[in-house]
Amino acid sequence: MKKLKVGVIGVGHLGRLHASIYTQIPEAELIGVFDTDVHRCNEVAAEFNTKAFSNPDELISRVQGMSIVVPTTFHHEVATNVLNSGVHCLIEKPITSTIEEANDLIKTAEAKNAIIQIGHIERFNPAIVALNGIDLDPMFVESHRLASFNPRGTDVAVVLDLMIHDIDIILSLVKSPVRQIDASGVAVITNEVDIANARIQFENGAVANVTASRISQKKMRKMRLFQKNAYISIDFLQKFSEIYRLVDSDSKEGAAFGIPVEFGDNQQGRKIIYEKPPVEEGNALKMELASFIEAIKTNSEPAVSGEQGKEALRVAIEITQMIKEQLQTLGIE
Ligand code: NAD
């Protein structure tokens, strides 16, 4: 098997994990890492027995795929340089800081025939993967992503840091253009919005009510989907999903996932079945990077495209702006 040569630019907290995972993927060969922090670069390279490059262009010239794991404000600059050499990029989320930058990156990738995949890692959460093959068409979504305070990532509003994970998942499930957004939130501990709620309405009538907080005592990452004849609960933290479905009482459906729990017949001769799809244990980052390698090898559409990353950013920016304007109007920004 011919291994695909890869590198990592930016080996801080998350970039170190990218480097580590590439050494565990049989189809990949980690050629080296680059970081503007020379000490950090040498440290991570030594840990994973790879080369610490002192010049990013030297690393770029030796690889076919690159993880870009620098702070978001530098995504555009660093990824543009990599894409200009025709090297495929896995760019951590959010794609960029602005829509203009995202558009520019997408254009450069197209011109250079290079793939960009965005690191919306929750797409690879085993709870979501377990729902593959299930007919999902949610008309009402309720999601909560609550985290305890951690100074990391607090230079941006909680919407761009945490809520964007759920925005991306919801956009991938609803598959309809956004019609209207209402949002509110407040800055409690940091100077940016720490807790936020958004109501996203879609053109097909679906509504998503999304809450994100980084100042909660207890962690929670749950999404609940309601659709015709079904309720699906996704627990990103505990990594499992549950499905409750209304079926004809003589239906044998549900048995495929084990023993269905029946809640009894109702007047229409129907019953609710409970299913817990089997979850395959797996490291989401490993699955994400393996899918990036696969997309390069097969020249196929990546799991999360630049356009999808841009759309999640667009919604997140709109929510953030809306909250900021409200707070300014109230004089409590
Ligand atoms: P970090 O600060 O720990 O690491 C960033 C590293 O990039 C640092 O080592 C820094 O020296 C280096 N760097 C800065 N500018 C550079 C440049 N121009 N060239 C090369 N190296 C440079 O940050 P982090 O927490 O690892 O976050 C990195 C990215 O990953 C951010 O975009 C962040 O939003 C994203 N992230 C995504 C998730 C997720 O769940 N997918 C989680 C955390 C962070």
Side-chain angles (χ1 to χ4, degrees), residues 9-15 34-37 40 69-72 74-75 78 92-94 119 121 152 165:
I9 296 186
V11 281
H13 172 71
L14 193 56
F34 171 75
D35 196 297
T36 44
D37 178 341
R40 177 72 182 175
V69 204
V70 298
T72 307
F74 300 115
H75 283 186
V78 173
E92 259 309 331
K93 67 92 210 167
I121 195 164
R152 181 176 292 281
H165 284 294

Side-chain angles (χ1 to χ4, degrees), residues 8-16 18 34-38 40-41 44 56 68-75 77-78 91-95 118-122 145 152-153 155-156 160-162 165 221 285 288:
V8 181
I9 296 186
V11 281
H13 172 71
L14 193 56
R16 176 185 163 274
H18 278 240
F34 171 75
D35 196 297
T36 44
D37 178 341
V38 176
R40 177 72 182 175
C41 191
V44 173
I68 314 278
V69 204
V70 298
T72 307
T73 39
F74 300 115
H75 283 186
E77 177 191 326
V78 173
I91 306 171
E92 259 309 331
K93 67 92 210 167
I95 177 171
I118 311 306
H120 283 288
I121 195 164
E122 290 290 43
R145 185 169 296 258
R152 181 176 292 281
D155 51 332
V156 293
L160 278 162
D161 185 25
L162 299 184
H165 284 294
R221 293 183 194 166
L285 185 57
E288 179 182 270

